[in-house]
Amino acid sequence: MRIKKSKIAKQLGLGLCALAFSFAAQAKDFRLGLITPASHIWTQAATDFAKDFEAASNNEHKVAIFPAAQLGNEAQMLQQLQTGALDMAFLTIAELTNRYPDIGALYAPYLVSSVEQADKILESAPAQQLLTQLPSKVGVVGVTYGTGGLRQIVSAKTVDKVEDLKGKKMRITPLDPLQDFYRDLGTAPIALPLSGVYDALSNGQVDAIDMDLELIIGLKFYDKAQTVLLSNHMMFPVVGVVSARVWAGLSDQDKENINVLMKKHLDKTFPLYVEKELEWEKALEQTGISVKKVGPEFFADAMGKWEQKWTKKTPVLAELREASASLKAQ
Ligand code: BEZ
């Protein structure tokens, strides 16, 4: 975040010294980083948030968006957020889970069975409680959740049954809950950032990938596949965060604007994914590759193993399962 000195000089020049200084001292250039490409729904939400936030400050503040990991991967961005070198980010829960394992419970297999349910579970008390812990555990203020849809599996070779995945090199986002799930499934998980996935699938570095529908279509991962398993096996939240250091120096009005406007734009990701998922599924069917819908029974033993491991790791899992059960019963 930078205070705009040029604005100070300009306004002093107008002779409005005292008033100008108080305005100028508040005007800030913020930076918001993401790993998703410019065309991704999260990046669009960030851009819309930036516009609204600037307008709410009477254009005193600016927010520059840095997509596609321009400021580094999420581990690097998190370090910058902790020191205050980066102001804001829209993050997956991957790096947050690596530092605060309880939040990994949000990746519980089949915690939800649709994006609508993901919306509701992320509003539930245990999920919201996780956000309140982020300042002390990770050094960021967790403003709100959005969604990246549900996870699917794209395989270079044909997959008819779970045994076809055994021993296969499976690309995952770098985080423990996914690693545990795919190990329990008998695959060899390989943590790879988004930017390396297409090449890895093309050159055989991995045999299959864990991915969401938006990117399967948007980045044409289906081009390198014979089978897509529409499994919807986990949700993939995004969290809007602000550096706790930066937050401490913000006015109450700025905090309120960030809270309201980040929520407004990340909330919109839920209905958007619901609508787009239908389009992406149709687009996938038109590619002519084999698309198979599978449910929890496909993953058989891996589900129970994951549950046992993560029940020991965090009490939040039981709370989320309870919230999910009451949701599904409605
Ligand atoms: C992934 O690592 O698969 C991913 C990261 C950000 C957004 C969507 C997917």
Side-chain angles (χ1 to χ4, degrees):
M1 175 175 66
R2 264 163 282 137
I3 309 288
K4 293 177 187 161
K5 296 204 180 94
S6 58
K7 213 161 203 165
I8 296 176
K10 201 162 113 199
Q11 296 199 8
L12 282 175
L14 291 173
L16 299 168
C17 305
L19 187 61
F21 187 77
S22 76
F23 271 142
Q26 289 166 15
K28 291 167 187 137
D29 284 333
F30 294 96
R31 300 189 312 155
L32 188 158
L34 319 94
I35 57 167
T36 47
S39 57
H40 192 273
I41 286 175
W42 297 359
T43 315
Q44 295 301 313
T47 307
D48 293 343
F49 157 74
K51 271 193 208 131
D52 275 4
F53 180 64
E54 289 174 8
S57 74
N58 291 326
N59 291 315
E60 285 298 318
H61 298 331
K62 296 282 170 234
V63 183
I65 306 296
F66 295 86
Q70 284 173 28
L71 300 179
N73 60 27
E74 288 197 341
Q76 291 161 330
M77 277 197 273
L78 208 45
Q79 275 176 357
Q80 296 164 35
L81 286 160
Q82 285 168 334
T83 63
L86 176 61
D87 304 294
M88 308 175 194
F90 284 2
L91 298 174
T92 69
I93 301 199
E95 198 52 37
L96 298 178
T97 297
N98 295 339
R99 289 158 198 245
Y100 172 41
D102 297 61
I103 205 167
L106 292 174
Y107 290 110
Y110 291 102
L111 182 63
V112 299
S113 45
S114 66
V115 173
E116 288 99 328
Q117 281 182 10
D119 189 358
K120 293 196 178 123
I121 205 89
L122 291 169
E123 284 291 329
S124 72
Q128 291 294 314
Q129 177 66 19
L130 289 166
L131 282 187
T132 67
Q133 298 303 305
L134 292 182
S136 60
K137 305 281 185 194
V138 191
V140 297
V141 173
V143 178
T144 192
Y145 296 109
T147 187
L150 303 173
R151 302 305 282 183
Q152 324 295 343
I153 296 173
V154 179
S155 168
K157 296 269 160 56
T158 301
V159 177
D160 291 314
K161 49 194 181 322
V162 75
E163 286 72 28
D164 297 333
L165 288 174
K166 301 254 184 258
K168 294 285 189 276
K169 289 170 282 173
M170 173 69 67
R171 177 271 165 175
I172 59 164
T173 314
L175 73 154
D176 286 350
L178 269 176
Q179 179 145 316
D180 288 344
F181 182 71
Y182 281 107
R183 276 214 184 113
D184 292 342
L185 205 59
T187 70
I190 297 182
L192 268 184
L194 206 46
S195 54
V197 177
Y198 190 89
D199 286 349
L201 193 59
S202 309
N203 65 26
Q205 186 191 345
V206 296
D207 303 302
I209 64 172
D210 179 279
M211 192 50 65
D212 60 76
L213 264 180
E214 178 179 10
L215 291 174
I216 293 172
I217 298 297
L219 298 184
K220 294 192 165 64
F221 291 127
Y222 59 80
D223 254 3
K224 299 290 158 200
Q226 283 181 6
T227 302
V228 175
L229 296 173
L230 282 185
S231 49
N232 290 334
H233 55 277
M234 282 174 193
M235 57 178 189
F236 203 70
V238 53
V239 192
V241 300
V242 178
S243 155
R245 283 199 167 195
V246 170
W247 187 261
L250 294 179
S251 69
D252 288 346
Q253 185 61 61
D254 286 342
K255 288 178 186 170
E256 165 80 2
N257 288 345
I258 291 172
N259 275 328
V260 169
L261 297 171
M262 262 194 195
K263 183 152 177 53
K264 172 181 167 191
H265 291 291
L266 283 174
D267 271 356
K268 280 188 188 169
T269 60
F270 293 98
L272 197 53
Y273 268 94
V274 171
E275 179 196 322
K276 290 274 189 186
E277 264 186 344
L278 299 172
E279 263 175 48
W280 294 324
E281 267 193 54
K282 268 196 200 131
L284 199 54
E285 272 154 24
Q286 281 164 7
T287 62
I289 63 169
S290 163
V291 179
K292 293 194 175 78
K293 291 197 176 178
V294 298
E297 64 293 339
F298 179 86
F299 297 100
D301 296 350
M303 299 271 301
K305 287 184 189 160
W306 192 95
E307 201 70 15
Q308 267 191 352
K309 213 172 278 169
W310 278 80
T311 301
K312 283 189 202 134
K313 281 193 187 178
T314 170
V316 180
L317 177 58
E319 294 168 25
L320 286 168
R321 287 282 184 209
E322 203 179 309
S324 157
S326 69
L327 256 182
K328 287 175 181 170
Q330 278 167 25

